[in-house]
Amino acid sequence: MLDVSVTPRAIVRQLDDYVVGQDSAKRVVAVAVWTHFRKIARSRAQGLPLEKSNVLLIGASGTGKTLTCDTLARILGVPFVTAEATSLAQSRYVGDEIEAMLQRLVDKAGGDAARAGRGIVFIDEIDKLKAGGGDARALSGESVQHALLKIMEGAQVRLGDGRYVDTSEVLFICGGAFVGLDRILKDTHGYGFIATSSQESRQILERLNARVKPTDLFAYGLIPEFTGRLPVIARFDELSKPTLVRIMTEPRNALYRQFRDLFAAEGVELVVEPRVFEQIAEVALEYKTGARSLRGIFEELMSPVLFELPERAGARRVTFASLFAEPAWQA
Ligand SMILES: Nc1ncnc2c1ncn2[C@@H]1O[C@H](COP(=O)(O)OP(=O)(O)OP(=O)(O)O)[C@@H](O)[C@H]1O
Ligand SMILES: [Mg+2]
């Protein structure tokens, strides 16, 4: 099922090609996925039910949660779909939406329902499923949580064409920003009163304090049964300026690489000096949407030059030295 050469470390190494930073989250996710597939093999061999450890990703918008799941599914070659908890809550019949989501998973598996049953489902914005409240006609967040619980546990879901998908071996990854969580953590934990002298015990206490407990998630309206099904928690850090710069330049399909290829195809070398990436990162930090705004800013910078590119016969290179200066064309 999962190749023996696929170890958590190998998974992280492959994630590194696409997801910058987030080292601890990548490790947690890699271990969770590896364990998941190992457990499936074991439960099948022994004929025991699978005890799943679904995963919760916590982190601000644009920090790489979806990217990580997406890349993971690609590395492992398993079918993968994403859904937003909020749109499940807006539908009249959550069952229909869940069925549609699993139908998409089957489509991703090339129509093979059994293969879909070993896929990954990512449900984002789980922190917006507050119990009660909201639009009276919409479903309450709590009923969506109950519906999700059922498929997370493992259920036979009937599709439109009469076939069934068994979700008991599907790995569910939930995601959410959980804005303000750190404040809650500060209020609910406190190992600070234990006097410690050594650096080592300090670090252990800090780690314990940083751990998210299921009870912390109740504040967001998640019901205990739901948080209980998400025993593995990975936290995505806010992206710093240097990380944003690396995101534009380092990944396999980094923005800079994409545009350099685009220019190269027209016989022109694109040069963007490091200073420009720093300026873009500074602007992106202002927008507070993680790495999400990088593309927009970068494309805006490139747009006037792309407009002229095909007509610049004889140009060999174009150089950007500042976000606020005209680029220089060289023959
Ligand atoms: N750590 C990262 N490494 C590389 N690229 C990243 C990283 N974080 C974000 N990006 C880039 O930003 C885009 C948005 O990231 P992604 O969709 O993973 O955010 P998210 O954490 O799922 O946010 P949201 O909570 O809003 O769904 C990605 O397509 C990717 O290009
Ligand atoms: Mg996302």
Side-chain angles (χ1 to χ4, degrees):
M1 156 160 313
L2 194 63
D3 202 90
V4 278
S5 66
V6 179
T7 59
R9 191 183 299 280
I11 294 173
V12 168
R13 208 176 294 134
Q14 292 198 63
L15 283 173
D16 283 341
D17 286 342
Y18 299 92
V19 184
V20 176
Q22 310 300 13
D23 293 334
S24 91
K26 283 189 281 197
R27 279 177 172 237
V28 172
V29 170
V31 168
V33 168
W34 181 82
T35 315
H36 176 70
F37 286 103
R38 280 300 149 105
K39 282 205 271 190
I40 291 179
R42 179 171 171 270
S43 82
R44 285 191 182 173
Q46 307 189 342
L48 293 168
L50 175 68
E51 294 236 351
K52 260 194 292 193
S53 293
N54 296 306
V55 184
L56 176 61
L57 310 183
I58 296 179
S61 186
T63 51
K65 300 186 295 294
T66 304
L67 177 69
T68 300
C69 296
D70 210 351
T71 311
L72 199 59
R74 204 150 32 83
I75 292 170
L76 301 171
V78 300
F80 170 69
V81 289
T82 66
E84 256 151 47
T86 41
S87 60
L88 295 180
Q90 275 152 16
S91 66
R92 287 238 277 157
Y93 302 104
V94 70
D96 289 352
E97 290 289 317
I98 286 177
E99 182 202 306
M101 177 177 88
L102 293 171
Q103 179 65 57
R104 279 191 287 128
L105 192 65
V106 173
D107 294 343
K108 285 280 180 72
D112 183 342
R115 220 185 127 225
R118 295 186 299 268
I120 298 178
V121 171
F122 179 52
I123 301 166
D124 213 348
E125 300 195 6
I126 213 80
D127 54 334
K128 312 245 163 63
L129 282 183
K130 271 225 191 322
D135 187 345
R137 281 165 309 173
L139 284 162
S140 74
E142 194 169 329
S143 58
V144 175
Q145 292 183 46
H146 280 292
L148 287 175
L149 269 179
K150 232 183 263 158
I151 58 162
M152 282 163 73
E153 282 290 89
Q156 298 277 347
V157 178
R158 192 173 189 274
L159 301 177
D161 61 8
R163 288 192 298 167
Y164 285 86
V165 182
D166 181 354
T167 63
S168 41
E169 292 178 350
V170 171
L171 179 66
F172 287 87
I173 303 180
C174 293
F178 293 90
V179 174
L181 182 67
D182 284 313
R183 215 179 41 240
I184 294 171
L185 292 184
K186 245 187 227 120
D187 292 347
T188 58
H189 305 232
Y191 298 98
F193 56 85
I194 303 171
T196 53
S197 45
S198 78
Q199 178 64 22
E200 196 186 355
S201 17
R202 248 296 116 219
Q203 278 173 355
I204 293 170
L205 287 181
E206 267 163 26
R207 250 189 77 185
L208 283 172
N209 281 331
R211 245 183 71 85
V212 180
K213 293 219 283 296
T215 46
D216 299 321
L217 304 176
F218 299 164
Y220 293 85
L222 294 189
I223 57 176
E225 302 93 301
F226 196 80
T227 59
R229 258 55 161 211
L230 296 165
V232 180
I233 296 180
R235 295 199 70 179
F236 282 68
D237 304 318
E238 299 273 343
L239 301 173
S240 64
K241 191 172 125 185
T243 306
L244 289 170
V245 169
R246 288 178 56 204
I247 287 173
M248 284 183 274
T249 53
E250 284 180 16
R252 282 263 171 95
N253 55 346
L255 272 175
Y256 190 31
R257 288 177 195 251
Q258 290 174 26
F259 278 88
R260 278 178 65 87
D261 288 348
L262 194 66
F263 278 77
E266 304 293 321
V268 176
E269 186 195 3
L270 169 68
V271 179
V272 177
E273 291 185 355
R275 172 88 197 101
V276 180
F277 289 115
E278 291 196 4
Q279 290 170 323
I280 295 175
E282 280 162 21
V283 176
L285 281 175
E286 293 286 319
Y287 289 164
K288 300 200 189 337
T289 50
R292 208 181 282 285
S293 46
L294 295 175
R295 173 171 289 277
I297 304 167
F298 199 82
E299 294 210 353
E300 211 174 298
L301 179 70
M302 293 296 138
S303 172
V305 176
L306 286 169
F307 187 76
E308 286 184 41
L309 178 64
E311 291 159 16
R312 282 273 180 162
R316 301 289 292 275
R317 182 188 294 151
V318 62
T319 306
F320 287 83
S322 164
L323 188 54
F324 310 104
E326 289 291 314
W329 292 91
Q330 282 133 337

